[in-house]
């Protein structure tokens, strides 16, 4: 074999062939994901590009379970995210096609389901209600009876009939078991019959029986015609029997691809023999880890998976004591100087049991080489291992990287999956780069429901959760009721003197602060719900805008109840003046603005501890600049903007205007003059025009809308479960 004379890498293109009777599924070509990592070299920190995925090419057959395995840090979850469109398009390089047609990440999200490792479900919904809401979101405006029928059938298929009316539960509420909760999570995402199903560690945290039950249900889903891809760590022997296709990774490189039954032959071609009683898959992963810890690295194993070139033997100290050195298999003699070089053939180990070697005809290195399926893999070799291009002969067995179905692997080819979306290829395909790549322009509706239908469904679910977890709003109502009674008894019938005026001012500022603090408990409530929002919207269950509006509408009656209860308690006890309606509206708008502000903060912070810290910090700032300690004209000019953005400024001034917008006397000054309400407002630099009263309401409404818009922007553009 001739080696290149220069020092540049030789790009060798190797065919990765699918089975001859490949009936469709997901195909991926040259998936590469590069990030910038900071590493220490000597005394300096240097930024370097690191490949988390390195030119991975392969496929996941339809109607089968494809399991992605490998040691820790292999890139399994990253690889799954890349296939599922959960990596930013600018960061992930390569091609992904479904049933032979290129498909974009946005289309993958609309035709697939992604079951996360953690079960993010509402604890106070029953199994049936959880699946029914999933049906409402994903099935669109079909008849209610059809949705119920599909949910009932799914409950039976998932083995959840006995827990149909049981709450999901959480740490504080008893509910379904871990395995049942995992099956509910799967059911939520497959209710619409996705053609692609991704699962990230579906057996994590489950006992062996529950884990097998989950994979058994997933196996049935795959046999119905879906393409199932899952990551799994140390599956039991029973679970391994349910796996149809393996993709083994290490350090973001492809180590093996093919049938689980072909792992043994793959290991034998390396010149190794599996010790008696050892699991072939686990043994292969152990070998990969040994090479990873050696001077050769996993690149030698990746090269063997792609070219058949045996990896160099490990030194004695690099071989685990649990590995039994296999005897060297008999080799045919070859005249290396004569026949091998004159015929320019490279002899590699064959997977044929009768003939341990096969020949590859040498080809001139080319830029690309397309197999029968159009899938190709580029693999760059170091100068010390440069090879000429190898064309795999048609007589070669299809492993590793490819295998043929047999009756014992897949009894009966499943019928092609029928998606809920209809595609007219003539209308929805367009030439891609180079004129030969076909990509979809459209693939059915992006959302199953209309905007207003989504709002109604979300509101119904919100009201159910509030009814079953009344602590959130009842605690606020109780606090405001108790504090209202205390305020009514402390400040009852204020005296007509300067001290009485001071008492009224203290009452109003305390009321504003009380209403601001009463919404702080919304911080952990949304942070817990945010994970559910991310899971549901990652596959277009509903719009971020409908979620934002439905949340606001849901809270309105509860906020109004809190405001009217407090207003009724203190209004008559303190003999307040002005308009009771305006007094109630100011309190109500204060709650709305505060609630919107707290929800916005909750969407920005990563956890409720930081959320509470941020809300308390802003509360202190708003309180300081609201005009109580210093009137607006006394605040230094460079801090004047803080008075304008303080959400406490407007309810405080509005309450004062409602109370003191009158010529009535509130006492006498030290010089004996009557102090009217207008005198008090003027001394506080607060406008006395009647129209200014309602202007405060409009400003608070504006802050409410603005905070909700900020909240929507965070949800829409920054709350995606996606790698950058």
């Amino acid at each position: 074999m001739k080696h290149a004379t220069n020092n540049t890498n030789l790009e060798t293109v190797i065919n990765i062939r699918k089975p001859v009777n490949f009936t469709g599924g997901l195909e991926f070509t040259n998936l590469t994901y590069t990030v910038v990592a900071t590493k220490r070299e000597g005394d300096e920190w240097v930024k370097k590009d690191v490949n988390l995925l390195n030119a991975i090419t392969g496929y996941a057959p339809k109607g089968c379970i494809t399991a992605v395995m490998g040691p820790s840090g292999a890139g399994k979850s990253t690889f799954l995210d890349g296939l599922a469109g959960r990596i930013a398009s600018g960061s992930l390089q390569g091609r992904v096609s479904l049933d032979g047609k290129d498909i974009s990440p946005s289309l993958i999200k609309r035709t697939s389901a992604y079951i996360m490792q953690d079960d993010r479900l509402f604890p106070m919904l029953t199994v049936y209600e959880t699946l029914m809401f999933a049906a409402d979101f994903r099935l669109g405006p079909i008849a209610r009876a059809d949705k119920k029928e599909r949910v009932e059938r799914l409950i039976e298929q998932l083995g959840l009939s006995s827990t149909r009316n049981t709450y999901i539960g959480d740490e504080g509420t008893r509910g379904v078991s871990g395995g049942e909760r995992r099956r509910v999570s799967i059911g939520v995402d497959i209710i619409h019959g996705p053609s692609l199903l991704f699962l990230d560690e579906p057996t994590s945290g489950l006992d062996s029986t529950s884990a097998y039950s989950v994979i058994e249900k997933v196996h049935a889903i795959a046999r119905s015609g879906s393409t199932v891809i899952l990551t799994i760590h140390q599956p039991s022997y029973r679970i391994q029997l349910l796996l149809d296709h393996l993709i083994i990774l290490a350090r973001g490189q492809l180590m093996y691809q093919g049938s689980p039954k072909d792992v043994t032959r793959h290991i034998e071609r390396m010149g190794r023999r599996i010790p008696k009683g050892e699991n072939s898959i686990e043994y292969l992963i152990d070998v990969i880890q040994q090479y990873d810890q050696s001077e050769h690295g996993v690149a030698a194993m990746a090269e063997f998976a792609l070219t058949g070139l045996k990896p160099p033997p490990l030194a004695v100290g690099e071989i685990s004591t649990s590995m039994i050195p296999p005897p060297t298999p008999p080799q045919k003699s070859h005249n290396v100087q004569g026949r091998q070089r004159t015929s320019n053939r490279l002899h590699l180990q064959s997977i044929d049991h009768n003939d341990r070697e096969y020949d590859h005809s040498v080809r001139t290195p080319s830029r690309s080489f397309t197999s029968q399926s159009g899938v190709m893999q580029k693999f760059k070799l170091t100068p010390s291992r440069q090879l000429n291009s190898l064309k795999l002969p048609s007589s070669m067995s299809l492993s590793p990287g490819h295998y043929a179905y047999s009756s014992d692997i897949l009894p009966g080819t499943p019928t092609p999956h029928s998606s809920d979306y209809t595609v007219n290829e003539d209308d929805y395909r367009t030439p891609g780069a180079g004129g030969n790549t076909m990509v979809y322009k459209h693939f059915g509706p992006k959302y199953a429901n209309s905007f207003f239908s989504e709002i109604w469904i979300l509101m119904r679910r919100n009201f159910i959760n509030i009814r079953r977890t009344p602590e959130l709003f009842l605690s606020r109502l109780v606090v405001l009721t108790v504090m209202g009674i205390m305020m009514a008894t402390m400040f009852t019938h204020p005296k007509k003197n300067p001290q009485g005026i001071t008492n009224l001012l203290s009452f109003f500022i305390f009321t504003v602060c009380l209403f601001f603090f009463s919404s702080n408990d919304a911080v952990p409530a949304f942070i817990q719900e945010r994970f559910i929002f991310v899971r549901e919207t990652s596959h277009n269950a509903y719009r971020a805008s409908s979620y934002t509006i439905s949340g606001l509408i849901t809270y309105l009656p509860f906020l109004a109840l809190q405001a009217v209860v407090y207003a009724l308690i203190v209004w008559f006890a303190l003999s307040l003046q002005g308009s009771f309606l305006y007094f109630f509206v100011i309190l109500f708008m204060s709650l709305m603005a505060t609630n919107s502000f707290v929800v916005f903060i909750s969407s920005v912070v990563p956890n409720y501890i930081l959320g509470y810290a941020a809300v308390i910090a802003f509360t202190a700032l708003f309180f300081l600049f609201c005009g109580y300690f210093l009137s607006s004209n006394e605040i230094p000019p460079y801090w004047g903007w803080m008075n304008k953005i303080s959400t406490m400024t407007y309810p405080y001034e509005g309450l004062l205007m409602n109370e003191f917008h009158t010529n009535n006397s509130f006492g006498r000054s030290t010089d004996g003059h009557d102090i009217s309400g207008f005198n008090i407002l003027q001394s506080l630099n607060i406008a006395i025009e009647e129209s200014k009263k309602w202007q405060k309401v409009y400003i608070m409404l504006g802050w409410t809308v603005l905070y909700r818009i900020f909240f929507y922007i965070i949800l829409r553009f920054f709350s995606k479960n996606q790698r950058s």
Side-chain angles (χ1 to χ4, degrees), residues 13 17 39 83 100 118 135 253 301 341 344 400 451 478 510 527 636 641 666 693:
V13 181
R17 292 174 45 191
K39 295 185 176 181
L83 294 180
D118 297 326
Q253 300 184 61
M301 293 289 292
R341 289 196 175 182
N344 202 15
F451 175 72
V478 170
F510 185 85
I527 289 177
W641 59 276
F666 285 84
K693 287 177 57 178

Side-chain angles (χ1 to χ4, degrees), residues 697-716:
V697 175
Y698 302 146
I699 293 175
M700 284 191 288
L701 179 61
W703 278 115
T704 301
V705 174
L706 185 62
Y707 284 134
R708 289 289 170 173
I709 292 175
F710 289 159
F711 176 64
Y712 164 75
I713 292 173
I714 296 297
L715 295 185
R716 177 65 177 82

Side-chain angles (χ1 to χ4, degrees), residues 520 523 597 601 605 607-621:
N520 286 8
V523 172
F597 170 76
I601 293 296
V605 298
N607 54 66
Y608 70 89
I609 297 177
L610 290 178
Y612 276 130
V615 170
I616 291 173
F618 277 105
T619 301
L621 290 174

Side-chain angles (χ1 to χ4, degrees), residues 39 70 76 232 367 478 598 601:
K39 295 185 176 181
K76 301 184 293 294
I232 192 166
R367 184 171 300 274
V478 170
V598 173
I601 293 296

Side-chain angles (χ1 to χ4, degrees), residues 105-157:
S106 60
L107 290 179
I108 290 178
K109 292 180 180 180
R110 286 151 63 180
T111 59
S112 67
Y114 191 106
I115 289 86
M116 301 179 184
Q117 187 171 346
D118 297 326
D119 300 316
R120 303 294 185 177
L121 304 168
F122 286 101
M124 296 311 296
L125 294 181
T126 65
V127 170
Y128 174 78
E129 290 169 341
T130 300
L131 294 176
M132 272 303 300
F133 278 116
D136 287 335
F137 286 129
R138 304 308 297 267
L139 299 183
I142 66 174
R144 188 75 174 172
D146 294 338
K147 292 180 181 178
K148 290 182 178 179
E149 181 182 356
R150 179 173 292 195
V151 168
E152 295 289 359
R153 187 166 62 249
L154 184 60
I155 288 176
E156 183 177 352
Q157 291 173 347

Side-chain angles (χ1 to χ4, degrees), residues 376-417:
M376 54 189 173
Q377 170 75 32
K378 294 182 179 181
F379 187 77
K380 293 183 178 180
L381 304 177
T382 59
S384 62
R385 296 180 182 226
Q386 290 171 345
L387 298 173
N388 289 325
S389 297
L390 305 177
K391 181 180 179 182
L392 307 183
S394 59
S395 60
M396 171 185 172
S397 173
L398 297 174
S399 178
H402 28 261
Y403 68 94
Y405 290 137
S406 61
S407 58
D408 55 344
I409 296 178
L410 182 58
T413 302
T415 56
H417 179 71

